[in-house]
Amino acid sequence: MNNLILPFSFTLPTKIVYGPGCVSAVIEELSINGGKKPIIITDKGVRGAGITDKITDLLDQNKINYVIYDGVEANPKDVNVEEGARIAREFGADCMIAVGGGSPIDCAKSVGVLLAHDADKIKKYEGKTAATKPLPLLITVPTTSGTGSELTFSSVITDTQNNYKMTVKSQYTAAKVAVCDPELTLSVPPEITASTGMDALTHAIEAYTASCAEPISDAMALYAVELIYNNLVDAVKDGSNLQARSAMLLGSMIAGIAFSHSDVASVHCIAESLGGVNDLPHGVCNAIFLPYVMDYNMKYSLERYARIAKAMGFSFENEEEGAQKAVDAVKKLAVDVNLPAFSSLDVGVNDFEKLAEMSVKNISTESNPRPMTKEDYLQVINNAYYQK
Ligand code: NAD
């Protein structure tokens, strides 16, 4: 508890509408905010699960004209953003509805950046300062419980020239409204529930332990840990469990707010490098490295890891014991929800050097509680591979 005298500011530009069945609020929010011609940005999996239909049915009933772009890929690509922007312009869209997990929502944010800046290429807007204009109205409708992108300021886009994931980050890229209906997550298959849930847990843990953590993000991060840690297994085992699904959606939303105001750290730096090079699910990458980065950070974050263990529900005699329980718990959780081991993935040891180099260059390396060099990253990546 050492950051109470440091200054901070806290802005949440996104209105949150939450509750089972609340998806119909999309129409009311369009009306309140003057959106008349939406582009729906989604992907084929979400469309195939019938979720986009729930929204187009509502739009049809209300005689609202729309266009759909469902070409967003996993780890959304710069070319998806550019295609989305082209379709939006051709249709004359004045607003966007992003329906899906982090991939469609991140794509929509960057489409909005191109529309707002009257630009064609998203690469120019990489980083924290390049996007300087408010987006057209963006309503986000999350269908996974993971990224928190419906509420965050980030849009993570794969630069296909260089095979790496860049971040476009600005308060301008946040959605105007997030319509968060846990019923839309009921159809997420177990392996995606598991990986997205571990992503959300990583957000909460990294937000709480980042060097730039502040008191409000701390409060949110700890509650997110409690919700996610205690409900992920139930949501994976029985996808129809609305109570567990609701806890997971709330947990991922709250973790998203926490890390937007704090940051993520080295787990995400490695996960984004691996996701960019090998196109692997983001949550799987996070789950692999979370316990090993925690282990590396241990001496620098003892008190905070112990408080995370408390939020998970553990009791212990001292901080060392508590912190170790938190590390052991996240390692076991990934196994309990059947996520793969690093060594079982199609990643060669020859790639490790490159991954370490990319990770150290990631802007969130500076937020890790313990400084990390390229050599430190290499050690952590090896530890994760050989499960040391
Ligand atoms: P995703 O959006 O790529 O979706 C994964 C799969 O789940 C897709 O095939 C999709 O069709 C399917 N799916 C989604 N909802 C479904 C539903 N309700 N029923 C059935 N299938 C469904 O995965 P994600 O983990 O949500 O997003 C990952 C992306 O988000 C990554 O690119 C990652 O880097 C990024 N990310 C962004 C932020 C941020 O703040 N913007 C934070 C963390 C991660």
Side-chain angles (χ1 to χ4, degrees):
M1 197 176 303
N2 53 3
N3 62 357
L4 300 188
I5 57 170
L6 297 174
F8 70 91
S9 69
F10 189 96
T11 307
L12 185 57
T14 308
K15 172 179 174 180
I16 299 169
V17 181
Y18 169 84
C22 78
V23 66
S24 55
V26 165
I27 299 299
E28 194 185 338
E29 292 302 330
L30 280 175
S31 164
I32 293 171
N33 293 289
K36 292 190 170 54
K37 281 190 81 178
I39 175 168
I40 298 176
I41 297 181
T42 187
D43 66 34
K44 296 205 167 50
V46 172
R47 206 168 174 187
I51 298 173
T52 317
D53 289 347
K54 289 185 199 285
I55 293 173
T56 55
D57 287 352
L58 290 163
L59 294 170
D60 289 338
Q61 283 159 23
N62 286 276
K63 300 192 173 20
I64 297 171
N65 202 4
Y66 57 86
V67 68
I68 300 179
Y69 171 55
D70 69 359
V72 181
E73 298 168 81
N75 298 309
K77 316 294 185 262
D78 43 16
V79 288
N80 302 148
V81 173
E82 286 146 23
E83 191 181 3
R86 181 182 57 72
I87 293 170
R89 285 192 182 108
E90 278 173 15
F91 175 67
D94 66 355
C95 59
M96 303 177 289
I97 306 174
V99 187
S103 298
I105 296 178
D106 281 2
C107 182
K109 288 174 175 173
S110 280
V111 166
V113 169
L114 291 187
L115 297 177
H117 295 78
D118 198 16
D120 294 325
K121 300 281 175 206
I122 194 62
K123 178 79 182 156
K124 194 174 153 194
Y125 298 94
E126 180 177 1
K128 295 183 180 175
T129 52
T132 54
K133 293 185 180 170
L135 266 48
L137 170 63
L138 169 62
I139 299 177
T140 50
V141 184
T143 66
T144 60
S145 297
T147 70
S149 182
E150 62 275 11
L151 296 168
T152 71
F153 306 152
S154 303
S155 165
V156 186
I157 302 296
T158 304
D159 168 347
T160 52
Q161 296 275 308
N162 302 299
N163 281 345
Y164 95 104
K165 293 175 80 166
M166 58 180 168
T167 298
V168 176
K169 186 170 183 181
S170 151
Q171 288 196 10
Y172 291 119
T173 60
K176 178 89 174 169
V177 186
V179 175
C180 305
D181 180 346
E183 286 180 1
L184 302 185
T185 67
L186 294 175
S187 54
V188 181
E191 64 281 7
I192 297 176
T193 304
S195 62
T196 50
M198 288 303 288
D199 183 25
L201 184 62
T202 309
H203 291 155
I205 292 175
E206 293 213 290
Y208 188 61
T209 50
S211 54
C212 49
E214 42 86 338
I216 299 179
S217 66
D218 283 353
M220 294 191 141
L222 284 179
Y223 186 40
V225 167
E226 182 183 325
L227 286 168
I228 298 162
Y229 182 74
N230 293 304
N231 287 282
L232 179 57
V233 171
D234 288 347
V236 171
K237 283 197 175 141
D238 175 10
S240 67
N241 180 338
L242 185 61
Q243 198 67 34
R245 291 291 198 186
S246 301
M248 286 304 301
L249 184 58
L250 279 168
S252 61
M253 290 160 59
I254 295 169
I257 302 171
F259 91 80
S260 269
H261 290 83
S262 171
D263 196 4
V264 287
S266 295
V267 180
H268 268 76
C269 298
I270 314 177
E272 286 177 7
S273 306
L274 190 53
V277 172
N278 293 68
D279 216 6
L280 291 163
H282 178 67
V284 169
C285 302
N286 275 329
I288 286 168
F289 297 109
L290 179 60
Y292 295 95
V293 171
M294 287 175 77
D295 201 44
Y296 171 85
N297 288 339
M298 181 74 95
K299 286 198 177 70
Y300 286 66
S301 304
L302 265 188
E303 186 213 345
R304 288 198 161 231
Y305 284 159
R307 291 193 69 182
I308 286 168
K310 215 173 188 178
M312 289 169 162
F314 292 110
S315 38
F316 41 86
E317 297 291 318
N318 53 53
E319 285 176 354
E320 283 80 2
E321 187 191 337
Q324 191 58 51
K325 283 192 171 177
V327 179
D328 295 344
V330 297
K331 205 179 264 183
K332 182 170 180 306
L333 183 60
V335 174
D336 289 348
V337 296
N338 298 318
L339 286 178
F342 189 17
S343 54
S344 72
L345 303 177
D346 188 20
V347 182
V349 285
N350 294 337
D351 290 331
F352 291 0
E353 184 87 16
K354 183 178 174 189
L355 291 175
E357 199 166 315
M358 291 168 80
S359 303
V360 80
K361 285 184 189 152
N362 189 303
I363 45 176
S364 293
T365 285
E366 65 192 41
S367 299
N368 200 57
R370 179 176 174 187
M372 254 182 124
T373 63
K374 182 186 156 191
E375 287 65 38
D376 297 328
Y377 270 113
L378 202 51
Q379 186 63 53
V380 166
I381 293 168
N382 272 293
N383 289 348
Y385 192 80
Y386 296 106
Q387 304 202 346
K388 285 184 191 163

